Amino acid sequence: MKTINKILLLWLLPSLIFASGRYPSPLPTPSTEILNIETQKCNTSCLERLLEQGQVFSFIANFTQDNQNQTLLESLNALMSALDISQIPYFENSKKSFFNIALLFSRKDIGAYSASTTNVILSYLLHQNKPFNFEVFDSKSESAQDLQVAIDAIHSKGYRQIIAILTYNGANNLNTLKIQTPIFIPSVHSSQITTTPLPNIIYGGISYEEQIQELSRFNPQSKAASFYDSSYIGNQIHQSVLKYNSNIIYSTAFNLKDNSNFTKTARTLKPLLEHSRIFLNTPVINSSIVLSQLTYYSIATEGVYSTQINYSPTLLSITQPKDRKKMYIANSIQPLDDLLSEESKMLNADLEYDWINYATAFGIEYFYRKNTPSAKDYFKENIKDNQVQYKIEILSPINNRFVNSNASF
């Protein structure tokens, strides 16, 4: 994907934003440009004086590569944002974009996320309505060698901020490279890194262990059962279930392919599963099978508990309300600005239910506000020890939506 320059996309922005019936105007919004007509040069002290005197337009017009410093640059960015100024001589003369970001991934390893995370970043930057450069780099694989080659290519093009969509294997390989470039990895939690994490890498993955810990506070005295996926993540979740629940009486790695007779054998599990807490951490389709059989055989449970895996509108559409009657789901995705979410949807990027997309959007905002501290912050999460800290809420899938649970511990 070639470098995307926001200035060139300015004429396309109105059609993207106003494509929805919710925002009907087809006309582009007006923009402000500043021209410098002064003949005398203005040094750093001159800029500071103009700023102190409130002569903001003279300050902006006289801003150059030679007289600026970090404090003045931050003041400039804040004024441009507040005054909705799209272009100034400084950016024209320096040939620099307002914001530069690179996206790194191995397409063959992350599949569909190569498209959706690209769209997340693009929609966020378009929403900011400021010039930017954005380029995608495919590392071909997640080997340390291929990642190093890709990062060298990123550096050669002048990018010094990277969002990397990697599996836990790729993230661990990246951690061995000793790279100094700031990197944000939305798809991995810091607990999945097997060696000491580098200080320049920030992890945006959610903590399934913390979600299980919260869910395990429900009816802890009751026996428990665990249905989990056989993948790496599924096994990690199951280990967390075992860690926080000492009274597990039944567990199985469940998928429809290996459990094709489950609709017949579920009846034999009824005495075991009756009045138990069931931890159900399988993909939505498999979860729907388990839920339907619990209903079909009238297996009365203390509750069904799941992590972010089943926080999906698909669950609502392929299961019956009675299947989900006593189901509780841990969720770490918080509501976002409506316009930001809608613009992302127009580029097929889901920020409402897809946690990797949500974390990617957090990552792009993190870098963007480093560059422009005055930019609006849409995300409220904090970063501690290089890991994004997510709030965990317990939701119940009621009818056609997820609502805050009224259940008590």
Side-chain angles (χ1 to χ4, degrees):
M1 180 176 180
K2 294 183 178 180
T3 300
I4 300 174
N5 193 301
K6 180 65 188 310
I7 300 170
L8 299 178
L9 290 176
L10 205 54
W11 290 106
L12 298 177
L13 183 60
S15 61
L16 287 171
I17 293 183
F18 299 111
S20 169
R22 184 176 175 182
Y23 311 104
S25 174
L27 299 177
T29 55
S31 61
T32 303
E33 297 188 8
I34 298 293
L35 301 177
N36 187 8
I37 60 175
E38 298 290 338
T39 57
Q40 296 181 343
K41 290 187 177 181
C42 184
N43 58 22
T44 301
S45 298
C46 168
L47 283 183
E48 292 173 345
R49 184 170 61 254
L50 291 173
L51 196 58
E52 290 174 0
Q53 295 172 351
Q55 299 182 48
V56 294
F57 292 106
S58 294
F59 167 80
I60 294 172
N62 283 281
F63 202 98
T64 71
Q65 183 68 31
D66 299 325
N67 63 11
Q68 56 107 343
N69 57 38
Q70 184 61 35
T71 300
L72 291 173
L73 182 58
E74 290 178 1
S75 297
L76 173 70
N77 289 335
L79 286 170
M80 288 182 65
S81 177
L83 298 173
D84 195 24
I85 296 172
S86 62
Q87 193 57 267
I88 63 172
Y90 168 63
F91 287 127
E92 281 290 306
N93 297 334
S94 64
K95 303 297 183 183
K96 290 186 177 180
S97 295
F98 187 81
F99 179 75
N100 299 279
I101 191 74
L103 174 62
L104 169 66
F105 55 66
S106 166
R107 193 182 306 273
K108 74 174 186 178
D109 288 291
I110 68 165
Y113 277 108
S114 62
S116 66
T117 52
T118 298
N119 291 341
V120 167
I121 295 173
L122 183 57
S123 65
Y124 180 90
L125 294 176
L126 288 172
H127 181 80
Q128 289 295 342
N129 195 25
K130 300 296 180 183
F132 66 85
N133 284 334
F134 167 45
E135 192 166 354
V136 177
F137 295 82
D138 187 345
S139 63
K140 308 304 180 183
S141 83
E142 291 191 335
S143 69
Q145 180 179 0
D146 282 345
L147 289 172
Q148 182 68 69
V149 170
I151 290 176
D152 289 343
I154 290 172
H155 281 183
S156 70
K157 292 196 173 184
Y159 294 99
R160 295 298 181 266
Q161 300 172 126
I162 302 172
I163 291 181
I165 311 297
L166 302 170
T167 67
Y168 69 96
N169 282 326
N172 277 286
N173 288 337
L174 183 70
N175 195 60
T176 67
L177 299 181
K178 311 303 181 184
I179 296 170
Q180 301 300 316
T181 305
I183 300 175
F184 185 92
I185 304 179
S187 49
V188 173
H189 190 271
S190 60
S191 63
Q192 295 174 279
I193 304 303
T194 56
T195 56
T196 303
L198 296 178
N200 60 301
I201 299 179
I202 296 175
Y203 299 91
I206 62 171
S207 174
Y208 287 108
E209 178 175 351
E210 290 176 4
Q211 291 190 349
I212 289 295
Q213 187 176 12
E214 286 295 307
L215 292 167
S216 299
R217 296 171 62 192
F218 285 85
N219 303 314
Q221 72 284 351
S222 300
K223 61 183 180 179
S226 176
F227 291 83
Y228 59 97
D229 188 60
S230 59
S231 65
Y232 167 80
I233 294 297
N235 277 287
Q236 289 293 104
I237 294 174
H238 178 58
Q239 292 305 310
S240 295
V241 172
L242 296 177
K243 178 179 178 179
Y244 295 104
N245 298 273
S246 60
N247 48 2
I248 297 288
I249 46 86
Y250 176 80
S251 64
T252 182
F254 180 86
N255 63 70
L256 192 57
K257 179 181 178 181
D258 296 335
N259 295 270
S260 57
N261 293 323
F262 182 73
T263 54
K264 296 179 180 179
T265 59
R267 178 170 55 88
T268 64
L269 295 174
K270 182 172 181 177
L272 198 60
L273 300 181
E274 282 277 355
H275 306 298
S276 69
R277 296 172 296 140
I278 296 182
F279 288 89
L280 180 59
N281 290 292
T282 57
V284 173
I285 299 298
N286 291 330
S287 294
S288 69
I289 299 298
V290 174
L291 290 170
S292 67
Q293 295 309 298
L294 293 177
T295 299
Y296 183 79
Y297 289 110
S298 302
I299 300 176
T301 69
E302 293 297 321
V304 178
Y305 307 101
S306 184
T307 56
Q308 199 79 39
I309 288 177
N310 283 300
Y311 181 63
S312 167
T314 303
L315 181 74
L316 303 175
S317 63
I318 66 174
T319 59
Q320 303 178 73
K322 59 183 178 180
D323 296 340
R324 301 178 261 110
K325 187 176 181 181
K326 297 178 70 175
M327 187 174 190
Y328 306 98
I329 296 177
N331 168 54
S332 294
I333 298 177
Q334 300 301 306
L336 290 174
D337 176 84
D338 287 343
L339 181 58
L340 178 64
S341 294
E342 289 300 320
E343 288 178 3
S344 297
K345 286 179 182 178
M346 285 190 284
L347 290 180
N348 296 317
D350 176 21
L351 300 182
E352 187 176 0
Y353 292 102
D354 191 308
W355 73 261
I356 293 183
N357 284 348
Y358 181 89
T360 300
F362 176 92
I364 187 65
E365 177 168 288
Y366 168 77
F367 283 132
Y368 193 89
R369 296 194 73 245
K370 283 282 187 181
N371 181 264
T372 312
S374 61
K376 179 178 179 180
D377 57 332
Y378 294 100
F379 295 83
K380 306 306 179 186
E381 290 84 357
N382 297 314
I383 296 174
K384 180 181 179 181
D385 298 328
N386 286 47
Q387 169 63 53
V388 180
Q389 304 297 304
Y390 294 101
K391 175 184 176 182
I392 298 174
E393 58 181 356
I394 307 301
L395 304 177
S396 295
I398 304 297
N399 297 325
N400 62 346
R401 59 197 178 101
F402 293 89
V403 300
N404 286 316
S405 171
N406 293 322
S408 58
F409 297 124

